[in-house]
Amino acid sequence: QELLTSLAERDDVPLGPGEVLQLKRLDLPDQASVLCSRLGAAELSSGRRRSRGAPALSTGAAGPAMKAGEAALQRLVAEELSAELHSLAHGLLAGLPVEAV
């Protein structure tokens, strides 16, 4: 829930504050689907791809808008969960052979 809320509140996600509140009323899979659809519609309308596809709030959309939205959502999740810094312990653990961990 926290991840989806933080993604929905980002400036590069085309949702207003009221829409974020409404989004929280949906189940988690539906929230992710709405985010995918909105991101896909934004990608298509920005000119990165040809502008045709599903409506922005469609939760069962398939096609170019949903595929573009899935790729955008994956990119945003990776950005949200990545860390630039890590602790010394994490660095040392990462250097161990897999059998030792």
Side-chain angles (χ1 to χ4, degrees), residues 43-59:
E43 293 249 341
L44 290 175
S45 67
S46 71
R48 292 183 202 166
R49 294 186 170 89
R50 279 193 327 158
S51 65
R52 69 181 201 32
L57 282 177
S58 171
T59 57

Side-chain angles (χ1 to χ4, degrees), residues 7-96:
L7 289 173
E9 292 173 344
R10 288 176 58 126
D11 291 336
D12 48 351
V13 175
L15 289 174
E19 292 172 316
V20 173
L21 290 174
Q22 291 177 352
L23 191 67
K24 292 179 184 179
R25 295 180 183 163
L26 299 174
D27 292 331
L28 295 178
D30 290 337
Q31 290 181 28
S33 181
V34 168
L35 283 175
C36 275
S37 181
R38 282 294 182 96
L39 289 167
E43 293 249 341
L44 290 175
S45 67
S46 71
R48 292 183 202 166
R49 294 186 170 89
R50 279 193 327 158
S51 65
R52 69 181 201 32
L57 282 177
S58 171
T59 57
M66 201 61 169
K67 289 179 184 177
E70 287 174 4
L73 184 60
Q74 289 172 1
R75 187 178 63 250
L76 290 177
V77 168
E79 287 175 13
E80 193 76 22
L81 296 179
S82 67
E84 294 180 19
L85 302 175
H86 58 274
S87 70
L88 177 61
H90 284 107
L92 292 173
L93 280 173
L96 290 176

